[in-house]
Amino acid sequence: MAYASFKPISLPPSTNTFNPIPRSQTLLRCCNHTKTLKITSEPKPVFDSLRTFAPATVANLGPGFDFLGCAVDGIGDYVTLSIDSNVQPGEIQISSINGCSKLSKNPLWNCAGIAAISVMKMLGIKSVGLSLSLEKGLPLGSGLGSSAASAAAAAVAVNEIFGGKLDFSDLVLAGLDSEAKISGYHADNIAPAIMGGFVLVQNYNPLNVVKLPFPSDKDLFFVLVNPEFEAPTKKMRAVLPAHITLEDHTWNSSQAGALVAGILQGDLEMLGLALSSDKIVEPNRAPLIPGMVAVKKAAIEAGAFGCTISGAGPTAVAITDNAESGVEIGVKMVEAFMKQGNLKASAVVSSLDRVGARVVSSIAR
Amino acid sequence: MAYASFKPISLPPSTNTFNPIPRSQTLLRCCNHTKTLKITSEPKPVFDSLRTFAPATVANLGPGFDFLGCAVDGIGDYVTLSIDSNVQPGEIQISSINGCSKLSKNPLWNCAGIAAISVMKMLGIKSVGLSLSLEKGLPLGSGLGSSAASAAAAAVAVNEIFGGKLDFSDLVLAGLDSEAKISGYHADNIAPAIMGGFVLVQNYNPLNVVKLPFPSDKDLFFVLVNPEFEAPTKKMRAVLPAHITLEDHTWNSSQAGALVAGILQGDLEMLGLALSSDKIVEPNRAPLIPGMVAVKKAAIEAGAFGCTISGAGPTAVAITDNAESGVEIGVKMVEAFMKQGNLKASAVVSSLDRVGARVVSSIAR
């Protein structure tokens, strides 16, 4: 059978007791108030060690290009962070990276390291050294926010080990420091990786990211189909048009509005129609991913509400309202990648991650 | 005092018993199913005569250009429709037009007449002649959906006099026939004029208009300031850019998303920020309306959550959460039109009209 999963991860329950981050379903807005952030004295560590998880994220979502993303449950990256007396106070070392041989262990060149350092600076950590271990659950360059997941897990880990003084917006800014160096100054992966659910980036200056609560009584499943194919973000950005017609702009804007309405109302039909409707980005990127056009068609024919490219690709994302349909849709999409694109692909069916980056275990001091 | 109203209209209660149109606060979608519409036999008139009202509408709403509009309470057009044995069966005559001397009484060249004829065709009316009287409460070319209000009042009147066989989507299509001939094929005025509240036009082919319910427990007021200045829609369309940058597109799309989120969540801060944020249409149109830039600034300084051009102008629209602030904001906006634009202006403060076009009185057969 063509259907296979990435790396199935047995996740801890989302409602663990360690995470002080609010999980309200009401509207949540983060503004950039780090300028007024007053950490009057260096916080003391609350834990000797802790382990965090941050989920994969789907950015763009068709007409939500560069400003909308969401977190998906069950796949993501882990960070284990420890107070380490062998590390120079105020510094951090990356002790190990599992699941990926390509990443640098120099914290200045590692997405988890950069985010961790930013949070340490925000907190003013000078007296304690940290040791970080990264477990990659997400493939690099897949369009699933791999770098953002590492950065989110690291940012939350550092914040929580010192008692959780910072809020979402600070952590998103720390994550943005990392994203800017690794994959571009975009918050549509890092914000949902940290905050969970759907997040709309309304502004960068000042940062204004808004969580869009998907109704808690409705189900939403993502079929994520990842072909064995490299689609470097730079190459996928290079094919975007510099200018677009007012007509296409108006169309895509209306679909962006419908996308947000579909999310907030839990209306998968509207959400799916909007997701599939992008006339600006997807039509330019899809031809660079062999089989993508056929994969989208196969997803819709198999009953998906909508389908598009996840992030900058090559992963294709389709949505549905139950896990069984998701598996069937995934099989058809994997088949289409093979038949029309001559690409092997693997699929996972994930529900919406409503929580975001979180502590999954800890050892108190 | 510079503050004055248009034509204050004493409105009937919104919840009159004659209107069979559902007023649900749940999501409402209209799709084009007139192709499958089966009116098997010509309906008989239910009333000898009735009177309808349709509200003014604010289209565009900044980044909602050409796909988003809303209805505002208290100002609009009235239609009185009667069964008239002196009129050729299957035809309609316009017996009088009050409040405007410029409009044609030929139903083929009058927005109310065109919409009425479309509804008569949909219903297959052949045995009865109708006589229509139009009372204009809205000035022409003001950016408040004057033609849409007439068309909506007429469409609903014809439908209701024959027992209300058609639904929202049919009536919007009938209204679109009128809008297409008078001011362009855009549903962002006619749809909210008929359906009430905020309406998003997701598609024209097939027609898919979605009502976006503003929370019933929250207040929203529009400050509408209409200067004595002509801003013909054609001229206002001519200044729009044919092409825009991807950067501006992304910005405006994100604001369109925020606009929808602000509406659905009743978050006036987000709604106002988005309303004021258009980088594509408003910056090109505002310079053509003397004083508009200063009027927007004055509105924000006076406490409005946001401000932009209503429709294609010249009316400026600001939003606030209470009527008293609305009056204060209106005064400042009127002053700014005079001071910076040398234009006399009048203001009204209206709440959101959640109902749309409706029967206000009737005489049974």
Side-chain angles (χ1 to χ4, degrees):
Chain A
M1 183 174 158
Y3 187 81
S5 70
F6 299 162
K7 291 184 180 180
I9 292 170
S10 174
L11 265 193
S14 294
T15 51
N16 74 79
T17 54
F18 299 106
N19 186 355
I21 294 173
R23 290 187 189 78
S24 163
Q25 276 301 302
T26 59
L27 190 114
L28 190 67
R29 174 179 296 130
C30 293
C31 293
N32 175 359
H33 47 81
T34 47
K35 285 169 190 167
T36 59
L37 179 75
K38 297 266 186 264
I39 301 284
T40 48
S41 62
E42 184 184 346
K44 297 235 180 312
V46 178
F47 300 104
D48 260 351
S49 168
L50 49 70
R51 191 161 183 254
T52 56
F53 168 81
T57 44
V58 176
N60 293 348
L61 295 160
F65 174 68
D66 263 7
F67 69 85
L68 200 64
C70 65
V72 296
D73 212 13
I75 47 172
D77 290 356
Y78 285 84
V79 156
T80 303
L81 189 73
S82 306
I83 306 297
D84 192 337
S85 56
N86 295 321
V87 178
Q88 186 79 15
E91 295 197 355
I92 189 166
Q93 74 166 16
I94 296 178
S95 53
S96 69
I97 299 174
N98 292 320
C100 181
S101 57
K102 285 184 181 174
L103 295 173
S104 169
K105 283 172 79 175
N106 181 338
L108 296 173
W109 294 101
N110 178 291
C111 37
I114 298 166
I117 291 168
S118 288
V119 174
M120 290 174 77
K121 280 185 185 164
M122 286 178 181
L123 291 171
I125 302 303
K126 290 171 189 163
S127 315
V128 176
L130 296 170
S131 182
L132 184 152
S133 174
L134 175 63
E135 287 169 61
K136 289 297 297 175
L138 294 175
L140 304 187
S142 56
L144 288 167
S146 178
S147 61
S150 297
V156 167
V158 175
N159 186 42
E160 293 302 323
I161 210 166
F162 290 105
K165 306 289 181 197
L166 304 178
D167 66 13
F168 278 151
S169 66
D170 302 316
L171 299 177
V172 172
L173 284 169
L176 263 172
D177 287 342
S178 170
E179 290 286 84
K181 283 188 194 162
I182 305 295
S183 61
Y185 196 78
H186 296 288
D188 46 346
N189 286 111
I190 188 67
I194 287 172
M195 298 164 69
F198 287 92
V199 179
L200 184 151
V201 184
Q202 192 176 0
N203 207 341
Y204 284 94
N205 189 21
L207 181 68
N208 186 1
V209 288
V210 184
K211 189 160 177 175
L212 303 175
F214 186 83
S216 56
D217 60 341
K218 301 222 174 166
D219 286 326
L220 172 59
F221 290 89
F222 299 87
V223 187
L224 301 164
V225 181
N226 182 28
E228 289 181 5
F229 181 76
E230 271 197 59
T233 302
K234 270 191 184 173
K235 197 175 165 191
M236 299 306 271
R237 284 231 159 236
V239 296
L240 297 181
H243 291 86
I244 53 179
T245 64
L246 184 63
E247 192 183 349
D248 281 351
H249 159 69
T250 303
W251 169 263
N252 258 47
S253 286
S254 71
Q255 301 310 314
L259 194 63
V260 169
I263 292 165
L264 290 172
Q265 306 267 3
D267 182 331
L268 290 203
E269 196 183 334
M270 181 166 28
L271 177 49
L273 272 176
L275 189 79
S276 302
S277 70
D278 172 20
K279 288 188 179 178
I280 294 172
V281 176
E282 188 193 301
N284 285 292
R285 285 179 168 173
L288 273 67
I289 305 168
M292 180 59 80
V293 174
V295 167
K296 177 174 181 171
K297 193 164 170 277
I300 304 290
E301 284 176 0
F305 287 99
C307 181
T308 189
I309 302 168
S310 177
T315 296
V317 56
I319 60 163
T320 181
D321 57 1
N322 71 85
E324 295 71 30
S325 303
V327 172
E328 288 168 24
I329 293 163
V331 169
K332 296 293 182 188
M333 292 169 74
V334 167
E335 284 174 1
F337 259 131
M338 177 52 75
K339 198 170 173 186
Q340 299 295 325
N342 201 27
L343 293 178
K344 280 188 191 173
S346 56
V348 285
V349 180
S350 296
S351 58
L352 180 68
D353 182 316
R354 297 171 188 263
V355 179
R358 52 202 178 252
V359 178
V360 293
S361 66
S362 61
I363 299 168
R365 281 187 81 79
Chain B
M1 182 174 155
Y3 186 81
S5 71
F6 298 163
K7 291 184 180 181
I9 292 170
S10 173
L11 265 194
S14 294
T15 51
N16 73 79
T17 55
F18 298 106
N19 187 356
I21 295 171
R23 291 187 189 78
S24 162
Q25 276 302 301
T26 59
L27 190 114
L28 190 66
R29 174 180 296 129
C30 293
C31 293
N32 176 359
H33 47 81
T34 49
K35 285 169 191 167
T36 60
L37 179 74
K38 297 264 185 267
I39 301 284
T40 48
S41 61
E42 184 183 347
K44 297 234 179 317
V46 178
F47 300 103
D48 260 351
S49 169
L50 49 68
R51 191 160 183 255
T52 57
F53 168 80
T57 44
V58 176
N60 293 347
L61 296 160
F65 174 68
D66 263 8
F67 69 85
L68 200 64
C70 64
V72 296
D73 211 13
I75 48 172
D77 290 355
Y78 285 85
V79 156
T80 303
L81 189 74
S82 306
I83 306 297
D84 192 338
S85 57
N86 295 320
V87 178
Q88 186 78 17
E91 295 197 356
I92 188 167
Q93 74 166 17
I94 296 179
S95 53
S96 69
I97 300 173
N98 292 319
C100 181
S101 57
K102 284 184 181 175
L103 294 172
S104 169
K105 282 170 81 175
N106 181 339
L108 296 173
W109 294 100
N110 178 291
C111 38
I114 299 166
I117 291 167
S118 288
V119 174
M120 289 174 77
K121 280 185 185 164
M122 287 178 181
L123 291 171
I125 302 304
K126 290 171 188 162
S127 314
V128 176
L130 296 170
S131 182
L132 184 152
S133 175
L134 175 63
E135 287 169 61
K136 290 295 299 174
L138 295 175
L140 303 187
S142 56
L144 289 168
S146 177
S147 61
S150 296
V156 167
V158 176
N159 185 43
E160 293 301 324
I161 210 166
F162 291 104
K165 306 288 182 198
L166 304 178
D167 66 13
F168 277 151
S169 66
D170 301 316
L171 299 177
V172 172
L173 284 169
L176 263 172
D177 287 342
S178 170
E179 290 286 85
K181 284 188 193 161
I182 305 294
S183 61
Y185 196 77
H186 296 290
D188 46 346
N189 286 112
I190 188 68
I194 287 172
M195 298 165 68
F198 287 92
V199 178
L200 184 152
V201 184
Q202 192 176 357
N203 207 343
Y204 284 94
N205 189 20
L207 181 68
N208 186 1
V209 288
V210 185
K211 189 160 177 175
L212 303 175
F214 187 83
S216 56
D217 59 341
K218 302 224 173 163
D219 286 326
L220 172 58
F221 291 88
F222 299 87
V223 187
L224 301 164
V225 180
N226 182 29
E228 289 180 6
F229 181 75
E230 271 197 58
T233 302
K234 271 191 183 172
K235 196 176 165 189
M236 299 306 271
R237 284 230 159 237
V239 296
L240 296 181
H243 291 85
I244 52 180
T245 65
L246 183 63
E247 191 183 350
D248 281 352
H249 159 70
T250 303
W251 170 263
N252 257 48
S253 287
S254 70
Q255 301 309 313
L259 195 62
V260 169
I263 292 166
L264 290 172
Q265 305 268 1
D267 182 331
L268 290 202
E269 197 183 332
M270 181 166 28
L271 177 49
L273 272 177
L275 189 79
S276 302
S277 70
D278 172 21
K279 287 188 179 178
I280 293 171
V281 176
E282 188 193 302
N284 285 291
R285 285 180 168 174
L288 273 68
I289 304 167
M292 181 58 82
V293 174
V295 167
K296 178 174 180 171
K297 192 163 171 277
I300 304 290
E301 284 175 0
F305 287 100
C307 180
T308 188
I309 301 168
S310 177
T315 296
V317 56
I319 60 164
T320 181
D321 57 0
N322 72 84
E324 294 71 31
S325 302
V327 171
E328 287 169 26
I329 292 163
V331 169
K332 295 294 181 187
M333 292 169 74
V334 167
E335 284 175 2
F337 259 131
M338 176 52 74
K339 199 170 173 186
Q340 300 295 326
N342 201 28
L343 293 178
K344 280 188 190 172
S346 56
V348 285
V349 180
S350 295
S351 59
L352 180 68
D353 180 315
R354 297 172 188 263
V355 179
R358 52 205 180 248
V359 177
V360 293
S361 66
S362 61
I363 299 168
R365 280 187 83 77

